[in-house]
Amino acid sequence: MKRFLPWIALLALASVPMWLRDPYLLNAFITTGIFIVAAMSLNLLLGYTGQLSLGHVAFFGIGAYTSALVSLGFDVELIGGFRVVHEPWPVWLGFFLAILVSGLCGYIVGKLSFRVRGAYFVIVTISFAEVVRLVALNWVELTQGPLALTSIPPITLGLPGLGYFDFFSKQSNFYLVLGVVALSYVIIGRLVNSRIGRAMVALKENESLAVSVGIDVTRYLVLAAVVSAGIAGAAGSLYAHYLKIIDPDVFLFLYTVTMVIMVITGGKGTLAGPIVGGLIFGFIPVVARSFASPELQWILYGWFMILIVFVLPQGIVPAIEKWFGVGEEARGPGGTEPKMQETH
Amino acid sequence: MINMLILGSTYALLGIGLTLIFGIMRIVNFAHGELYAFGAYFVYFVAVLLGFNFFLSLLIAILAGCILGALIEVVLLRPMRGADIDTTMLIMIGAMIVMQNTEQYVWGGVAKSVSTPFPETPLVIGAFSVSWLRLFVFFAALALIAAAYFLINRTKLGRAMRATFQDRDTAALMGVNIQAIYMATFSIGSSLAAAAGALLGPVYVVSPQMGNIASLKAFAIVILGGLGSIGGATIGGFILAFAEEMGAGYISSGYRDAMGFLLIIAVLLFKPTGLFARSERIG
């Protein structure tokens, strides 16, 4: 039964556009799905390697801007009068370049910032995201700054023999996002259940012990950062081509917080956690908007966040698993084992 | 130049508050910037809406910051004693979101300004001219920094705080009431942040977004100066103000706020212990 659970969930979700006709709710599903992809990528770092990166939105935003700029084209003058002109490319190329560029940024940031740990790591990652945001805000020639990049084309895909797909409608975008969610689920699942995943968990549980048995800590951390950043970039690209407009606000700290709270609520270090948490937090605004102003929604959101950390620090998925007494296999190696009480 | 000194002295206040909380309690206080905004709003509330004397309002705002800090400590942090640093960080992020949006909810999105009893005409000394208000802010901030030094280095409470910083368990064995020290630390840190906001609010304007960037700037200052070092935080505040003025002057004013983050990244990559930390001690 447990083996089929992801398939049942996938089928149930795939049926949604068939019976749901309300465009607002469908839109909520799509944006939630995009954030679930981002939250899943964050979970790889936070849940499996135990590194809290609060700059994750940087990769999301870099993906969004890369993809948008590749498909819109740009004309920029760099320092020293050197001019770069880029003609618009097909959108699917933008999607892959978004993954590539975000992954590369993940590599650089990972290489540099994994020299420090704990609170320092958190602050370096935030700083990185804020610097990228300020660049997006101020490099008006490239990014249009606060005026935003507009009329970003939807993702199109030409398949030989099958014709030409255009992800313009909400329905098609829903399936596109669902496909990316499923693909990310598989990729992350394969990764964390492999040797690499076990190494990551080992260094989360006890870094010095992991080093002593010969695990190259920095290598695995950087690897996790690259994969994680790449997937976040893909999510960013989907976001840009779905909304068709992006501004420097995609780099806001609150988006990172949203991703983190999705992961924590669902259960960090579980494959299903970000999806469960993501659905909950994706639909809180939908429910809350009927009776609360945006500020009030955020206040509730903040209290909810505090409450979750107090009441369910391990998250919903591990709590359910414990409740039904089901075992390890679906959860990935050692994701949520009770940690030894640390003495402070 | 004068601008830089004023910014630097208030940044130092922010930094000292955060470095105390971070150093002694091991808590990454994301709500620090919101306490700063709280101080500014409180001055606005007491001085403009209730019509109190300006100087009295400053004192009340600092006191209110102290009480709010104690409240946060007791309600949100005390139950989570012993939790790891990531957990408390998330709680403080939640608190930050709540506080920021409460400000927005209560006061609206429009920036407020606070009028002061100082004369409009600036003080002119030779080629320099400086407004009385800014001069007052600078010296008030310096006085508060000096008070913080005195508190940490010369009083019994300060000695207990330093002992807790060095070794919590041993300090507890020696009869230091750790719970009380934590509460005192968080209240003092909060009141310093509120003081910085209360002083800077009348110089600029008071808006709900002001706390946003202040937390991150405070982190930059603390990291520049080295964890738990009050002297480092003081110098760090002035360095950040200097870097921002330089960044705004020579690169572009849009990149003013980026300077702090670039400094953080540079310091953590090349000298992670901070520029002035001899060893991990406080004072």
Side-chain angles (χ1 to χ4, degrees):
Chain A
M1 177 63 200
K2 258 192 84 66
R3 298 178 52 122
F4 299 113
L5 210 58
W7 290 106
I8 295 169
L10 185 66
L11 279 176
L13 283 172
S15 77
V16 166
M18 296 171 192
W19 47 265
L20 189 74
R21 288 276 166 255
D22 181 10
Y24 174 71
L25 284 179
L26 205 55
N27 169 60
F29 264 109
I30 296 167
T31 44
T32 301
I34 293 171
F35 273 96
I36 286 176
V37 175
M40 284 164 88
S41 72
L42 178 71
N43 186 31
L44 184 61
L45 273 181
L46 174 59
Y48 291 97
T49 70
Q51 304 297 323
L52 177 56
S53 152
L54 286 185
H56 211 64
V57 77
F59 305 118
F60 182 81
I62 287 172
Y65 267 98
T66 306
S67 191
L69 286 171
V70 165
S71 49
L72 283 173
F74 55 85
D75 177 354
V76 176
E77 200 169 298
L78 297 177
I79 303 161
F82 187 67
R83 210 157 151 232
V84 182
V85 182
H86 168 75
E87 295 298 325
W89 280 0
V91 180
W92 59 271
L93 254 173
F95 180 73
F96 285 109
L97 277 173
I99 298 176
L100 207 71
V101 172
S102 291
L104 191 70
C105 291
Y107 177 79
I108 297 167
V109 174
K111 260 283 193 234
L112 293 175
S113 55
F114 280 127
R115 295 183 191 183
V116 289
R117 291 281 188 281
Y120 290 112
F121 176 77
V122 172
I123 291 163
V124 176
T125 52
I126 296 181
S127 303
F128 169 69
E130 283 295 315
V131 169
V132 178
R133 183 178 72 85
L134 288 165
V135 170
L137 195 62
N138 288 300
W139 194 357
V140 178
E141 204 183 357
L142 180 69
T143 63
Q144 307 295 326
L147 295 176
L149 282 175
T150 50
S151 44
I152 302 166
I155 291 184
T156 45
L157 203 57
L159 287 180
L162 278 169
Y164 187 71
F165 289 97
D166 173 344
F167 292 95
F168 192 81
S169 70
K170 287 206 165 48
Q171 274 79 11
S172 58
N173 265 296
F174 180 91
Y175 286 112
L176 178 68
V177 170
L178 187 63
V180 176
V181 170
L183 195 64
S184 313
Y185 185 89
V186 172
I187 292 172
I188 294 173
R190 290 293 285 263
L191 187 69
V192 298
N193 284 307
S194 70
R195 237 183 92 81
I196 298 170
R198 286 193 294 277
M200 286 175 186
V201 174
L203 66 90
K204 176 182 105 177
E205 296 294 328
N206 190 334
E207 187 169 330
S208 30
L209 188 63
V211 173
S212 74
V213 295
I215 294 174
D216 182 347
V217 171
T218 312
R219 209 182 115 216
Y220 283 108
L221 285 178
V222 171
L223 181 74
V226 170
V227 176
S228 170
I231 295 175
S237 170
L238 290 177
Y239 189 75
H241 293 292
Y242 173 62
L243 289 187
K244 302 181 184 67
I245 172 168
I246 45 166
D247 63 7
D249 278 357
V250 293
F251 290 104
L252 279 186
F253 181 58
L254 278 177
Y255 286 126
T256 305
V257 174
T258 306
M259 295 175 204
V260 171
I261 197 67
M262 284 175 172
V263 173
I264 303 276
T265 309
K268 56 182 174 181
T270 62
L271 283 175
I275 301 178
V276 174
L279 284 173
I280 293 174
F281 271 90
F283 281 91
I284 283 182
V286 177
V287 179
R289 77 162 189 156
S290 57
F291 63 85
S293 65
E295 289 94 12
L296 215 55
Q297 282 183 38
W298 277 108
I299 296 172
L300 285 177
Y301 192 100
W303 278 116
F304 199 74
M305 183 167 172
I306 295 171
L307 202 70
I308 284 284
V309 178
F310 267 85
V311 182
L312 271 180
Q314 295 293 342
I316 292 171
V317 172
I320 292 176
E321 283 179 350
K322 212 161 140 194
W323 186 261
F324 289 107
V326 284
E328 293 294 287
E329 28 155 10
R331 169 198 304 177
T336 53
E337 249 103 282
K339 261 171 121 174
M340 264 209 292
Q341 200 64 46
E342 278 178 56
T343 43
H344 284 274
Chain B
M1 183 65 197
I2 301 290
N3 220 355
M4 203 184 84
L5 288 177
I6 294 167
L7 267 184
S9 57
T10 40
Y11 282 176
L13 280 180
L14 263 182
I16 293 171
L18 193 70
T19 210
L20 281 175
I21 293 171
F22 195 8
I24 294 175
M25 304 174 71
R26 295 274 149 183
I27 279 167
V28 185
N29 185 13
F30 271 93
H32 206 67
E34 296 313 319
L35 284 156
Y36 163 83
F38 174 80
Y41 267 111
F42 218 83
V43 166
Y44 167 75
F45 174 64
V46 178
V48 177
L49 297 188
L50 299 184
F52 275 51
N53 175 287
F54 176 70
F55 301 99
L56 189 64
S57 319
L58 286 181
L59 277 181
I60 295 175
I62 295 171
L63 203 67
C66 186
I67 293 168
L68 181 65
L71 209 66
I72 292 176
E73 207 281 324
V74 172
V75 175
L76 296 181
L77 294 173
R78 185 158 293 182
M80 299 306 273
R81 204 74 89 219
D84 60 9
I85 194 165
D86 287 357
T87 309
T88 50
M89 197 173 340
L90 291 170
I91 290 176
M92 294 321 292
I93 292 175
M96 174 195 93
I97 295 174
V98 171
M99 289 172 70
Q100 189 176 7
N101 287 285
T102 308
E103 275 151 21
Q104 184 122 24
Y105 187 66
V106 174
W107 301 114
V110 186
K112 313 270 193 235
S113 61
V114 180
S115 55
T116 60
F118 293 101
E120 292 284 323
T121 46
L123 172 71
V124 181
I125 311 164
F128 287 103
S129 79
V130 56
S131 78
W132 287 97
L133 171 64
R134 288 175 182 238
L135 210 60
F136 165 73
V137 166
F138 177 64
F139 283 108
L142 282 192
L144 282 166
I145 293 170
Y149 269 96
F150 178 80
L151 182 78
I152 299 299
N153 289 322
R154 291 281 180 275
T155 63
K156 214 175 154 196
L157 174 66
R159 193 161 56 193
M161 282 165 75
R162 279 180 288 145
T164 312
F165 176 70
Q166 281 174 356
D167 188 335
R168 194 184 76 168
D169 296 336
T170 313
L173 282 177
M174 296 299 147
V176 173
N177 182 349
I178 299 291
Q179 300 286 9
I181 292 300
Y182 276 10
M183 194 165 130
T185 305
F186 206 87
S187 329
I188 293 169
S190 303
S191 57
L192 288 175
L199 287 172
L200 264 194
V203 177
Y204 302 111
V205 286
V206 186
S207 75
Q209 283 83 32
M210 65 187 287
N212 234 347
I213 209 110
S215 284
L216 293 167
K217 281 186 179 170
F219 287 133
I221 294 158
V222 168
I223 285 171
L224 274 174
L227 172 67
S229 156
I230 293 187
T234 313
I235 302 168
F238 285 101
I239 293 180
L240 179 65
F242 178 71
E244 284 186 351
E245 291 290 315
M246 289 293 126
Y250 288 99
I251 304 173
S252 142
S253 59
Y255 286 105
R256 161 184 283 273
D257 290 333
M259 298 316 291
F261 304 119
L262 292 174
L263 275 177
I264 292 185
I265 295 173
V267 169
L268 283 183
L269 296 183
F270 299 113
K271 201 167 181 308
T273 48
L275 296 177
F276 307 102
R278 284 177 299 275
S279 58
E280 283 220 339
R281 64 183 294 270
I282 200 163

